[in-house]
Structure formats: C-alpha cells, structure tokens
Amino acid sequence: MSERYDFGKNWASFIDANFSAERRKISKQRLLDFLRKRDLQDLSFLDIGSGSGLHSMAAYDAGAARIHSFDYDEVSVRTTAHLRALAGSPSNWTVERGDVLDIGYLRNLGMWDIVYSWGVLHHTGAMWSAIHNAAGRVAPNGLFFIALYSSNVASPSTEFWLDIKKRYNLADASGRRRMELWYLWRFGLNRNPLRLPLLIKQIYDKKKQRGMSYMTDVRDWLGGWPMEYADDQEVIDTMKEKHGLSLVNISTGEACTEFLFGRTDAKSGAAV
Ligand SMILES: C[S@@+](CC[C@H](N)C(=O)[O-])C[C@H]1O[C@@H](n2cnc3c(N)ncnc32)[C@H](O)[C@@H]1O
C-alpha cells in the first residue's frame, strides 16, 4: 500500500472541474465568517497544506497583507500556484513545497497573524508534532484556525474508517470507483433511495461550505492517508497548556471539527 494518498491529484481535478467565481466568493466569505472578521487587511496568512489553494486565494481576496502557502504534495503546490496565477501572480503571495513536520523549515517562516491548516495535520503521520509545529508559528496576537478529524463524531467507529481507508488505498481505479459508489449508497443515501433529494441537497450545500465539492471530499475522505483522529477536548486543553491559545470559535458535528484559537490577554481573560 502506498504510504501516502495522492491528495494533489484530487485537488487538481477539483479545480479543473469546479473552480468558479462563485466558489471563490463563498470560500472567502466562509473564511471571514469563521475568523469573525470583515477583512484581513494588514494581516499575514500562513496556509499549511494548501491543497487546491482555494483558501489561500480566499485570504488574498479578503485583503491579507501577505500570504504564504505550502504543501507536501507537488501537485497540490502546482494547483495552488495555478490559482495564484489566476489571481494575477501577486507579489505578496508565495507558494512552495514544504513539510509541516520539518521544524527547521517552519522556524524559517517566522510568525504569522493567522495560521490556517484545514484538514491537514491529521494526514501527516505525526499529528501532534504537526499541531505543535503549526501552533508555534502563531504571532503574539495571532489566530490559529485548524480542522481535525474528530474521534468524538466518528461513526460507526474510528477503526471502521481506518480499515476502509486502508482498503481504498490498496484498490485499483475501478475498485476505488466501486467504493465511492458504496459510500454514496451506505452513507449518502443511508441505504434508502427515497433519500436521493436529501443527498442532492447535501451535494449542493457542500459548495456553500468553504466552496468545496461533495465528490472531491468523498474521495479525500476515503483515500486520505496517513490519518489520525483527535479528541476535541484534548485539542482545546493542549492548545491552552502548551501554547497559551484559547478557543475563540468552534464548529463540530461533521467529520472535521474546526477550531479557532487566539492568544489570551492575561488581565481580561479575553482572546485578542
Ligand atoms: C485534505 S487536504 C486539505 C487541503 C486544504 N487545506 C483544504 O482545506 O482544502 C490535505 C493536504 O495536506 C497536505 N499535507 C499532508 N501532509 C503534509 C505535510 N507533512 N506538510 C504539508 N502538507 C501536507 C496534503 O498534500 C494535502 O494537500
């Protein structure tokens, strides 16, 4: 079995098939809403594991002063660079290959007002090292926006999904298509064809969530490897204890829990 899922290939086809002005707008608005900001003027934005690059582009569109995107996968890097080119190759947006587990590389990047890593750190093979490395890049008044697979909502169980993912990665192209159809039948339709209108609505709604696509996310979910789960409360406690980062916003209940952390002002106890 390959040690790593080809994330980049999935992101390249997502952009080829789905990139649009509408998704670009949705992605920007969702980013600002979760960050609870009107824009990102004067703020620097580090995108760790940029994938398609759509969320780096969202930061650019939101007016970030400086953006740096990096990803382990060369094809993700190329896809992000392609979006940067579509944005007019701005000089305040850099894209390169990098590994969040490479602490030397991370330190050289300096500190950032917003460190963003959505659905990445649990796919590195060393989730907690990746979380600590990423958190270490948050500037004194900065924000840390991460999304991690939650062990609290994994259904039927974490073991079930780890086994499915291993099987998906071992399968050939037609085996993978069959598993995608099986996923749609069992989890999309809940084995009930009458739920088709609901599934169609879910597919449509997926676009409204960060501008993503349902089938790209199904492939990413079935294939994403290596992969670990995180316990929501453990993440919250660890960020506070080890990095002085307090929870500012959270969205849970989906496969990935989204967390927004900020530094706490010792006097007021408020996240700044
Ligand atoms: C599920 S995708 C998420 C992409 C993007 N952040 C998003 O929200 O759409 C995970 C991405 O993390 C990247 N990745 C995995 N391990 C990495 C590492 N050690 N350092 C940097 N990026 C990594 C993968 O190549 C992939 O592009």
Side-chain angles (χ1 to χ4, degrees), residues 64-80:
R66 192 159 62 97
I67 301 130
H68 183 69
S69 325
F70 76 86
D71 199 290
Y72 186 94
D73 186 311
E74 292 284 3
V75 183
S76 291
V77 176
R78 279 209 294 278
T79 307
T80 301

Side-chain angles (χ1 to χ4, degrees), residues 4 11 49 55 71-73 76 99-100 118-120 210 220:
R4 229 168 233 285
W11 291 125
H55 314 291
D71 199 290
Y72 186 94
D73 186 311
S76 291
D99 181 352
V100 69
W118 209 107
V120 175
R210 305 193 313 133
D220 186 278

Side-chain angles (χ1 to χ4, degrees), residues 86-153:
L86 289 182
S89 303
S91 58
N92 63 339
W93 178 4
T94 45
V95 183
E96 68 184 358
R97 185 177 178 278
D99 181 352
V100 69
L101 296 178
D102 179 346
I103 189 65
Y105 172 73
L106 271 264
R107 284 194 182 127
N108 275 336
L109 294 177
M111 307 299 269
W112 295 77
D113 296 316
I114 299 168
V115 175
Y116 177 84
S117 193
W118 209 107
V120 175
L121 307 170
H122 51 225
H123 283 315
T124 56
M127 182 180 70
W128 280 104
S129 299
I131 293 174
H132 292 309
N133 290 354
R137 295 303 95 213
V138 181
N141 287 328
L143 291 167
F144 188 40
F145 181 175
I146 54 173
L148 299 169
Y149 280 135
S150 170
S151 59
N152 308 104
V153 294

Side-chain angles (χ1 to χ4, degrees), residues 205-218:
D205 285 350
K206 186 56 111 176
K207 190 156 83 170
K208 292 195 250 162
Q209 296 163 12
R210 305 193 313 133
M212 305 315 276
S213 125
Y214 186 87
M215 279 318 292
T216 305
D217 278 11
V218 167

Side-chain angles (χ1 to χ4, degrees), residues 182-218:
W182 161 82
Y183 178 94
L184 289 179
W185 170 246
R186 174 146 179 200
F187 295 97
L189 290 171
N190 206 7
R191 300 184 174 110
N192 178 359
L194 296 178
R195 286 176 57 101
L196 187 61
L198 207 66
L199 175 61
I200 292 170
K201 183 174 180 307
Q202 262 182 303
I203 292 171
Y204 180 75
D205 285 350
K206 186 56 111 176
K207 190 156 83 170
K208 292 195 250 162
Q209 296 163 12
R210 305 193 313 133
M212 305 315 276
S213 125
Y214 186 87
M215 279 318 292
T216 305
D217 278 11
V218 167

